Amino acid sequence: MKRIFAFPLIAFSLMVVFSSCEKEYTCHCNITYTDRSDLRTLNTTDNNFQVQASSKDEAKNSCRYYETFEIFQKEEAIVKHDCNIQ
């Protein structure tokens, strides 16, 4: 009788040990396109995407502020991504 209960208990324990503990978080970004020459705002938009992380701190590290330089509507633009976890 003990063997009947031991196998499912061992199988369940192995599943817990080898399963991923990552959670899914939503990252929300406010994106602003600014002209590099006169700093006027060319466009703003919002974007949401999913982040897989084992903790909220790890998710915050993946979802943070950053800037890029791109050509937007034939203008050199600074693209500011102001992001946070929701």
Side-chain angles (χ1 to χ4, degrees):
M1 186 71 171
K2 289 182 182 180
R3 289 183 185 172
I4 293 173
F5 292 114
F7 181 73
L9 183 61
I10 292 170
F12 178 75
S13 298
L14 289 174
M15 285 180 11
V16 170
V17 169
F18 291 111
S19 68
S20 174
C21 294
E22 289 194 346
K23 295 178 183 176
E24 193 169 272
Y25 296 90
T26 300
C27 181
H28 176 78
C29 296
N30 293 318
I31 305 167
T32 306
Y33 296 81
T34 306
D35 188 297
R36 283 184 74 176
S37 60
D38 61 7
L39 300 178
R40 66 185 160 88
T41 301
L42 300 172
N43 192 27
T44 58
T45 187
D46 291 335
N47 187 23
N48 289 326
F49 61 93
Q50 301 303 314
V51 175
Q52 295 285 333
S54 58
S55 69
K56 192 165 186 174
D57 287 337
E58 186 179 317
K60 285 180 182 179
N61 192 35
S62 298
C63 177
R64 62 178 188 270
Y65 179 85
Y66 67 96
E67 291 182 8
T68 59
F69 297 101
E70 300 176 16
I71 301 296
F72 179 77
Q73 296 178 343
K74 299 182 182 179
E75 303 278 345
E76 289 187 17
I78 303 166
V79 184
K80 299 176 183 178
H81 298 82
D82 188 15
C83 305
N84 54 37
I85 293 293
Q86 291 193 328

